[in-house]
Amino acid sequence: MLHTPYAHPDRKGDGVAWEAIRPDVESDEGHDEGQGAGPATVGGDDRVRSAERVLHAVPVVPMDPAPTAEPLPDPEETARALALCVVEILSGAREVDSIARWVTDDVHRHLQQRAALTARNRSGLRRAVRRPSLRAGSVVACSPADGIVEATVVVHGRSHARAVAIRLETRNGRWRATAVGVL
């Protein structure tokens, strides 16, 4: 039995909120404060009626203390997508802010520094920024603890392949990269 201030103390499981019973007509002639406030059910002979006051029972809607979270997406797919984005960032074809919600602040700061460094090197060579032709290859993932996945993704470009190591952790109901390394 649910023991809350909203459940009637004498009735078990009838779904009637004791304190939610309210009068339809405001008339206090010949009635003491709280008179007629007893157990009532919706649509039955138990409904409390008087000439001046009609009481209605309001059903209790149970509140779920912990809403059920949606299942997390596949961590391998998340790692694959993030690895492609990281290589695009380092090649200058994507902004770091485009993946800000999927990485921690430390990873974001690290990627900004690496992107700035590669942009400086590119400008010294006078190379134009081209969108790279990338393809994600194999993904190897392991879970050292609950809510943590470490993955390595091989990203293939036109001329060479790169390995991207990513540590994913669950934060606020989704995967976020807490560490990223590119070889």
Side-chain angles (χ1 to χ4, degrees), residues 41-112:
T41 58
V42 176
D45 291 334
D46 293 336
R47 180 170 285 185
V48 178
R49 294 187 184 264
S50 70
E52 297 86 18
R53 187 179 289 204
V54 177
L55 300 176
H56 293 280
V58 179
V60 175
V61 178
M63 297 205 42
D64 189 8
T68 57
E70 293 182 19
L72 291 170
D74 181 24
E76 289 185 11
E77 290 300 318
T78 302
R80 178 179 282 119
L82 277 173
L84 287 170
C85 290
V86 166
V87 173
E88 287 177 356
I89 287 168
L90 296 180
S91 69
R94 179 185 288 267
E95 292 293 322
V96 179
D97 292 337
S98 66
I99 63 167
R101 68 182 295 200
W102 301 106
V103 297
T104 60
D105 290 339
D106 290 337
V107 172
H108 188 268
R109 202 171 12 264
H110 175 74
L111 286 175
Q112 280 183 324

Coordinates of all heavy atoms in Angstrom, one line a residue, residues 41-112:
T41 N -15.6 7.6 -4.8 CA -15.1 7.0 -6.0 C -15.9 7.6 -7.2 O -17.0 8.1 -7.1 CB -15.3 5.5 -6.1 OG1 -16.7 5.2 -5.9 CG2 -14.5 4.8 -5.0
V42 N -15.2 7.6 -8.3 CA -15.8 8.2 -9.5 C -16.9 7.3 -10.1 O -16.6 6.1 -10.3 CB -14.7 8.5 -10.6 CG1 -15.4 9.0 -11.8 CG2 -13.7 9.5 -10.0
G43 N -18.1 7.7 -10.3 CA -19.1 7.0 -11.0 C -19.7 5.8 -10.2 O -19.8 4.7 -10.8
G44 N -20.0 5.9 -9.0 CA -20.6 4.8 -8.3 C -21.5 5.3 -7.2 O -21.7 6.5 -7.0
D45 N -22.1 4.4 -6.4 CA -23.1 4.8 -5.4 C -22.3 5.4 -4.2 O -22.9 6.0 -3.3 CB -23.9 3.6 -4.9 CG -24.9 3.2 -6.0 OD1 -25.3 4.0 -6.8 OD2 -25.2 2.0 -6.0
D46 N -21.0 5.2 -4.2 CA -20.2 5.8 -3.1 C -20.0 7.3 -3.2 O -19.4 7.9 -2.3 CB -18.8 5.1 -3.0 CG -18.9 3.6 -2.7 OD1 -19.9 3.2 -2.0 OD2 -18.0 2.9 -3.0
R47 N -20.5 7.9 -4.2 CA -20.3 9.3 -4.4 C -21.0 10.0 -3.3 O -22.2 9.8 -3.0 CB -20.8 9.8 -5.8 CG -20.6 11.3 -6.0 CD -20.9 11.6 -7.4 NE -19.7 11.2 -8.1 CZ -19.6 11.5 -9.4 NH1 -20.5 12.1 -10.1 NH2 -18.5 11.1 -10.0
V48 N -20.3 11.0 -2.7 CA -20.9 11.7 -1.6 C -21.6 12.9 -2.2 O -21.1 13.7 -2.9 CB -19.8 12.2 -0.6 CG1 -20.4 13.0 0.5 CG2 -19.0 11.0 -0.1
R49 N -22.9 13.0 -1.8 CA -23.8 14.1 -2.4 C -24.5 14.8 -1.2 O -24.9 14.2 -0.3 CB -24.8 13.6 -3.4 CG -24.2 13.0 -4.6 CD -25.3 12.7 -5.6 NE -24.7 12.1 -6.8 CZ -24.4 12.8 -7.9 NH1 -24.7 14.0 -8.0 NH2 -23.9 12.1 -8.9
S50 N -24.7 16.0 -1.3 CA -25.5 16.8 -0.4 C -26.3 17.8 -1.3 O -25.9 18.0 -2.4 CB -24.7 17.4 0.7 OG -24.0 18.5 0.2
A51 N -27.3 18.5 -0.7 CA -28.1 19.4 -1.5 C -27.2 20.6 -1.9 O -27.4 21.1 -3.0 CB -29.2 19.9 -0.6
E52 N -26.2 21.0 -1.1 CA -25.4 22.2 -1.5 C -24.1 21.8 -2.1 O -23.5 22.7 -2.8 CB -25.2 23.0 -0.2 CG -26.4 23.6 0.4 CD -27.0 22.6 1.4 OE1 -26.3 21.7 1.8 OE2 -28.2 22.8 1.7
R53 N -23.6 20.6 -1.9 CA -22.2 20.4 -2.3 C -22.1 19.0 -3.0 O -22.7 18.0 -2.5 CB -21.4 20.3 -1.0 CG -19.9 20.2 -1.2 CD -19.3 20.2 0.1 NE -19.3 21.6 0.7 CZ -18.5 22.1 1.6 NH1 -17.6 21.3 2.0 NH2 -18.6 23.3 2.0
V54 N -21.4 18.9 -4.1 CA -21.1 17.7 -4.8 C -19.6 17.5 -4.8 O -18.9 18.4 -5.2 CB -21.7 17.7 -6.2 CG1 -21.3 16.4 -6.9 CG2 -23.2 17.9 -6.2
L55 N -19.2 16.4 -4.3 CA -17.7 16.2 -4.3 C -17.4 15.2 -5.4 O -18.1 14.2 -5.6 CB -17.4 15.6 -2.9 CG -17.7 16.5 -1.7 CD1 -17.3 15.7 -0.4 CD2 -16.9 17.8 -1.8
H56 N -16.2 15.4 -6.0 CA -15.7 14.6 -7.0 C -14.4 14.0 -6.6 O -13.6 14.8 -6.0 CB -15.5 15.3 -8.3 CG -16.8 15.7 -9.0 ND1 -17.6 14.9 -9.7 CD2 -17.4 16.9 -8.9 CE1 -18.6 15.5 -10.1 NE2 -18.6 16.8 -9.7
A57 N -14.1 12.8 -6.9 CA -12.8 12.2 -6.6 C -11.9 12.5 -7.8 O -12.3 12.3 -8.9 CB -12.9 10.7 -6.3
V58 N -10.7 12.8 -7.6 CA -9.7 13.0 -8.6 C -8.7 11.9 -8.6 O -8.1 11.6 -7.5 CB -9.0 14.4 -8.4 CG1 -7.9 14.6 -9.5 CG2 -10.0 15.5 -8.4
P59 N -8.6 11.1 -9.7 CA -7.7 10.0 -9.6 C -6.2 10.4 -9.4 O -5.8 11.4 -9.9 CB -7.9 9.3 -11.0 CG -8.5 10.3 -11.8 CD -9.2 11.3 -11.0
V60 N -5.5 9.6 -8.7 CA -4.1 9.9 -8.5 C -3.3 9.3 -9.6 O -3.5 8.2 -10.0 CB -3.6 9.2 -7.2 CG1 -2.1 9.4 -7.0 CG2 -4.4 9.7 -6.0
V61 N -2.4 10.2 -10.2 CA -1.5 9.8 -11.2 C -0.2 9.5 -10.5 O 0.4 10.4 -10.0 CB -1.4 10.8 -12.3 CG1 -0.4 10.4 -13.4 CG2 -2.8 11.2 -12.9
P62 N 0.3 8.3 -10.5 CA 1.5 8.0 -9.8 C 2.7 8.6 -10.6 O 2.7 8.6 -11.8 CB 1.6 6.4 -9.9 CG 0.7 6.0 -11.0 CD -0.3 7.1 -11.1
M63 N 3.6 9.2 -9.8 CA 4.8 9.8 -10.4 C 5.9 8.8 -10.4 O 6.2 8.1 -9.4 CB 5.1 11.1 -9.6 CG 4.0 12.1 -9.7 SD 4.5 13.8 -9.5 CE 6.0 13.9 -10.4
D64 N 6.6 8.7 -11.5 CA 7.7 7.8 -11.6 C 9.0 8.6 -11.1 O 9.4 9.6 -11.7 CB 7.9 7.4 -13.1 CG 9.0 6.4 -13.3 OD1 9.4 5.8 -12.3 OD2 9.3 6.1 -14.4
P65 N 9.6 8.2 -10.0 CA 10.7 8.9 -9.5 C 11.9 9.0 -10.4 O 12.6 9.9 -10.4 CB 11.0 8.2 -8.2 CG 10.5 6.8 -8.3 CD 9.3 7.0 -9.3
A66 N 12.1 7.9 -11.1 CA 13.3 7.9 -12.1 C 12.7 7.5 -13.4 O 12.4 6.4 -13.7 CB 14.3 6.8 -11.6
P67 N 12.6 8.5 -14.3 CA 12.1 8.3 -15.6 C 13.0 7.3 -16.4 O 14.2 7.4 -16.2 CB 12.0 9.6 -16.3 CG 12.8 10.5 -15.5 CD 12.9 9.9 -14.1
T68 N 12.4 6.4 -17.1 CA 13.2 5.4 -17.8 C 14.0 6.1 -19.0 O 13.4 6.8 -19.8 CB 12.3 4.3 -18.4 OG1 11.4 4.9 -19.3 CG2 11.7 3.5 -17.3
A69 N 15.2 5.9 -19.0 CA 16.1 6.5 -20.0 C 16.0 5.7 -21.3 O 15.9 4.4 -21.2 CB 17.5 6.6 -19.5
E70 N 16.2 6.3 -22.4 CA 16.2 5.6 -23.6 C 17.5 4.9 -23.7 O 18.5 5.3 -23.1 CB 16.1 6.6 -24.8 CG 14.8 7.3 -24.9 CD 14.7 8.2 -26.1 OE1 15.5 8.1 -27.0 OE2 13.8 9.1 -26.1
P71 N 17.6 3.7 -24.4 CA 18.8 3.0 -24.4 C 19.9 3.8 -25.2 O 19.5 4.5 -26.1 CB 18.5 1.7 -25.2 CG 17.2 2.0 -25.8 CD 16.5 3.1 -25.1
L72 N 21.1 3.6 -24.8 CA 22.2 4.3 -25.5 C 22.4 3.8 -26.9 O 22.2 2.6 -27.1 CB 23.5 4.2 -24.7 CG 23.5 4.9 -23.3 CD1 24.7 4.5 -22.5 CD2 23.6 6.4 -23.5
P73 N 22.8 4.6 -27.8 CA 23.1 4.1 -29.1 C 24.4 3.2 -29.1 O 25.1 3.2 -28.1 CB 23.4 5.3 -30.0 CG 23.7 6.4 -29.0 CD 23.0 6.0 -27.7
D74 N 24.6 2.4 -30.1 CA 25.7 1.5 -30.2 C 27.0 2.3 -30.1 O 27.2 3.3 -30.9 CB 25.6 0.8 -31.6 CG 26.8 -0.2 -31.8 OD1 27.3 -0.7 -30.7 OD2 27.1 -0.5 -32.9
P75 N 27.9 2.0 -29.1 CA 29.1 2.7 -29.0 C 30.1 2.6 -30.1 O 30.8 3.5 -30.4 CB 29.7 2.2 -27.7 CG 29.1 0.8 -27.5 CD 27.7 0.9 -28.1
E76 N 30.0 1.5 -30.9 CA 30.9 1.4 -32.0 C 30.5 2.3 -33.1 O 31.4 2.9 -33.8 CB 30.9 -0.1 -32.5 CG 31.6 -1.0 -31.6 CD 31.7 -2.4 -32.2 OE1 31.4 -2.7 -33.4 OE2 32.0 -3.3 -31.4
E77 N 29.2 2.5 -33.3 CA 28.7 3.5 -34.3 C 29.1 4.9 -33.9 O 29.5 5.7 -34.7 CB 27.2 3.3 -34.6 CG 26.8 2.1 -35.3 CD 27.5 2.0 -36.6 OE1 27.5 3.0 -37.4 OE2 27.9 0.9 -37.0
T78 N 28.9 5.2 -32.6 CA 29.3 6.5 -32.1 C 30.8 6.8 -32.3 O 31.2 7.8 -32.8 CB 28.9 6.7 -30.6 OG1 27.5 6.4 -30.5 CG2 29.2 8.0 -30.1
A79 N 31.6 5.8 -32.0 CA 33.1 5.9 -32.2 C 33.4 6.1 -33.6 O 34.3 6.9 -34.0 CB 33.8 4.7 -31.6
R80 N 32.8 5.3 -34.5 CA 33.0 5.4 -35.9 C 32.7 6.9 -36.4 O 33.5 7.5 -37.2 CB 32.2 4.4 -36.7 CG 32.4 4.5 -38.2 CD 31.5 3.4 -38.9 NE 32.2 2.1 -38.8 CZ 31.7 1.0 -38.2 NH1 30.5 1.1 -37.7 NH2 32.4 -0.1 -38.1
A81 N 31.6 7.4 -36.1 CA 31.2 8.7 -36.5 C 32.1 9.8 -35.9 O 32.5 10.7 -36.7 CB 29.7 9.0 -36.1
L82 N 32.5 9.7 -34.7 CA 33.4 10.7 -34.1 C 34.8 10.6 -34.7 O 35.4 11.6 -34.9 CB 33.5 10.4 -32.6 CG 32.3 11.1 -31.7 CD1 32.4 10.6 -30.3 CD2 32.4 12.6 -31.8
A83 N 35.3 9.4 -35.0 CA 36.6 9.3 -35.6 C 36.6 10.0 -37.0 O 37.6 10.7 -37.3 CB 36.9 7.8 -35.8
L84 N 35.6 9.8 -37.8 CA 35.5 10.5 -39.1 C 35.5 12.0 -38.9 O 36.2 12.7 -39.6 CB 34.3 10.0 -39.8 CG 34.3 8.6 -40.4 CD1 33.0 8.2 -41.0 CD2 35.4 8.6 -41.5
C85 N 34.8 12.5 -37.9 CA 34.7 13.9 -37.6 C 36.0 14.4 -37.1 O 36.4 15.5 -37.5 CB 33.6 14.2 -36.6 SG 31.9 14.0 -37.2
V86 N 36.7 13.7 -36.3 CA 38.0 14.1 -35.8 C 39.0 14.3 -36.9 O 39.8 15.3 -37.0 CB 38.5 13.2 -34.7 CG1 40.0 13.4 -34.4 CG2 37.7 13.3 -33.4
V87 N 39.1 13.3 -37.8 CA 40.0 13.4 -38.9 C 39.6 14.6 -39.9 O 40.5 15.3 -40.4 CB 40.1 12.1 -39.7 CG1 40.9 12.2 -41.0 CG2 40.7 11.0 -38.8
E88 N 38.3 14.8 -40.1 CA 37.9 16.0 -40.8 C 38.3 17.3 -40.2 O 38.7 18.2 -40.8 CB 36.4 15.9 -41.1 CG 36.0 14.9 -42.0 CD 34.4 14.9 -42.2 OE1 33.7 15.6 -41.5 OE2 34.0 14.1 -43.0
I89 N 38.2 17.3 -38.8 CA 38.6 18.5 -38.1 C 40.1 18.8 -38.3 O 40.6 19.9 -38.6 CB 38.3 18.4 -36.6 CG1 36.8 18.5 -36.4 CG2 39.0 19.4 -35.8 CD1 36.3 18.1 -35.0
L90 N 40.9 17.7 -38.2 CA 42.4 17.9 -38.3 C 42.8 18.2 -39.7 O 43.8 18.8 -40.0 CB 43.1 16.6 -37.8 CG 42.9 16.3 -36.3 CD1 43.7 15.1 -35.9 CD2 43.4 17.5 -35.5
S91 N 42.0 17.9 -40.7 CA 42.3 18.2 -42.1 C 41.8 19.6 -42.5 O 42.1 20.1 -43.5 CB 41.7 17.2 -43.1 OG 40.3 17.3 -43.1
G92 N 41.0 20.2 -41.6 CA 40.5 21.6 -41.8 C 39.2 21.7 -42.5 O 38.7 22.7 -42.8
A93 N 38.6 20.5 -42.7 CA 37.3 20.5 -43.4 C 36.1 20.6 -42.5 O 35.0 20.8 -43.0 CB 37.2 19.2 -44.2
R94 N 36.3 20.6 -41.2 CA 35.2 20.7 -40.3 C 35.6 21.5 -39.1 O 36.8 21.5 -38.7 CB 34.8 19.3 -39.8 CG 33.7 19.2 -38.8 CD 33.4 17.8 -38.3 NE 32.8 17.0 -39.3 CZ 31.5 16.8 -39.5 NH1 30.7 17.4 -38.7 NH2 31.0 16.0 -40.4
E95 N 34.6 22.3 -38.5 CA 34.9 23.1 -37.3 C 34.8 22.2 -36.1 O 34.0 21.2 -36.0 CB 33.9 24.2 -37.2 CG 34.0 25.2 -38.3 CD 35.3 26.0 -38.2 OE1 35.8 26.3 -37.0 OE2 35.9 26.3 -39.2
V96 N 35.6 22.5 -35.1 CA 35.6 21.7 -33.8 C 34.3 21.8 -33.1 O 33.8 20.9 -32.5 CB 36.7 22.2 -32.9 CG1 36.7 21.4 -31.6 CG2 38.1 22.1 -33.6
D97 N 33.6 23.0 -33.2 CA 32.4 23.2 -32.5 C 31.2 22.3 -33.0 O 30.2 22.2 -32.4 CB 31.9 24.7 -32.7 CG 32.9 25.6 -31.9 OD1 33.5 25.1 -31.0 OD2 32.9 26.8 -32.3
S98 N 31.4 21.7 -34.2 CA 30.3 20.9 -34.8 C 30.2 19.6 -33.9 O 29.1 19.0 -34.0 CB 30.6 20.5 -36.2 OG 31.8 19.7 -36.3
I99 N 31.2 19.2 -33.2 CA 31.0 18.0 -32.3 C 31.1 18.4 -30.8 O 31.4 17.5 -30.0 CB 32.1 16.9 -32.7 CG1 33.5 17.4 -32.5 CG2 31.9 16.5 -34.1 CD1 34.5 16.3 -32.5
A100 N 31.0 19.6 -30.5 CA 31.1 20.0 -29.1 C 30.2 19.3 -28.1 O 30.7 19.0 -27.0 CB 30.9 21.5 -29.0
R101 N 29.0 19.0 -28.5 CA 28.1 18.3 -27.6 C 28.5 16.8 -27.4 O 28.0 16.2 -26.5 CB 26.7 18.4 -28.0 CG 26.4 17.7 -29.3 CD 25.0 17.9 -29.8 NE 24.1 17.3 -28.8 CZ 22.8 17.0 -29.0 NH1 22.3 17.3 -30.2 NH2 22.1 16.5 -28.1
W102 N 29.4 16.3 -28.2 CA 29.7 14.8 -28.1 C 31.1 14.6 -27.5 O 31.5 13.5 -27.3 CB 29.7 14.2 -29.5 CG 28.4 14.3 -30.2 CD1 28.0 15.2 -31.2 CD2 27.2 13.6 -29.8 NE1 26.7 15.0 -31.5 CE2 26.2 14.1 -30.6 CE3 26.9 12.7 -28.9 CZ2 24.9 13.6 -30.6 CZ3 25.6 12.2 -28.8 CH2 24.6 12.7 -29.6
V103 N 31.8 15.7 -27.1 CA 33.1 15.6 -26.5 C 33.1 16.4 -25.2 O 32.3 17.4 -25.1 CB 34.2 16.0 -27.4 CG1 34.3 15.2 -28.7 CG2 34.1 17.5 -27.8
T104 N 34.0 16.1 -24.3 CA 34.2 16.9 -23.1 C 34.9 18.2 -23.4 O 35.5 18.3 -24.5 CB 34.9 16.1 -22.0 OG1 36.2 15.8 -22.5 CG2 34.2 14.8 -21.6
D105 N 35.0 19.1 -22.4 CA 35.7 20.4 -22.6 C 37.2 20.1 -22.9 O 37.8 20.9 -23.7 CB 35.5 21.3 -21.4 CG 34.0 21.8 -21.3 OD1 33.3 21.7 -22.3 OD2 33.6 22.2 -20.2
D106 N 37.8 19.2 -22.2 CA 39.2 18.9 -22.4 C 39.5 18.4 -23.8 O 40.5 18.9 -24.4 CB 39.7 17.9 -21.4 CG 39.7 18.4 -20.0 OD1 39.8 19.7 -19.8 OD2 39.7 17.6 -19.0
V107 N 38.7 17.5 -24.3 CA 38.8 17.0 -25.7 C 38.6 18.1 -26.7 O 39.3 18.3 -27.7 CB 37.9 15.8 -25.9 CG1 37.9 15.4 -27.4 CG2 38.3 14.7 -25.0
H108 N 37.6 19.0 -26.4 CA 37.3 20.1 -27.3 C 38.5 21.0 -27.4 O 38.9 21.4 -28.5 CB 36.1 20.8 -26.8 CG 35.6 21.9 -27.7 ND1 36.0 23.2 -27.6 CD2 34.7 21.8 -28.8 CE1 35.4 23.9 -28.5 NE2 34.6 23.1 -29.3
R109 N 39.1 21.4 -26.2 CA 40.2 22.3 -26.2 C 41.4 21.6 -26.9 O 42.1 22.3 -27.7 CB 40.6 22.5 -24.7 CG 41.3 23.8 -24.5 CD 41.5 24.1 -23.0 NE 41.1 23.2 -22.0 CZ 39.9 23.1 -21.4 NH1 39.0 24.0 -21.7 NH2 39.7 22.2 -20.5
H110 N 41.7 20.3 -26.7 CA 42.8 19.6 -27.4 C 42.6 19.6 -28.9 O 43.6 19.9 -29.6 CB 42.8 18.2 -26.8 CG 43.8 17.3 -27.5 ND1 45.2 17.5 -27.3 CD2 43.7 16.3 -28.4 CE1 45.8 16.6 -28.1 NE2 44.9 15.9 -28.7
L111 N 41.4 19.4 -29.3 CA 41.1 19.4 -30.8 C 41.3 20.8 -31.4 O 41.8 20.9 -32.5 CB 39.7 18.8 -31.1 CG 39.6 17.3 -30.9 CD1 38.1 16.9 -31.1 CD2 40.5 16.5 -31.9
Q112 N 40.9 21.8 -30.7 CA 41.1 23.2 -31.2 C 42.6 23.5 -31.3 O 43.0 24.1 -32.3 CB 40.5 24.2 -30.2 CG 39.0 24.3 -30.4 CD 38.4 25.4 -29.5 OE1 38.8 25.6 -28.4 NE2 37.4 26.1 -30.0

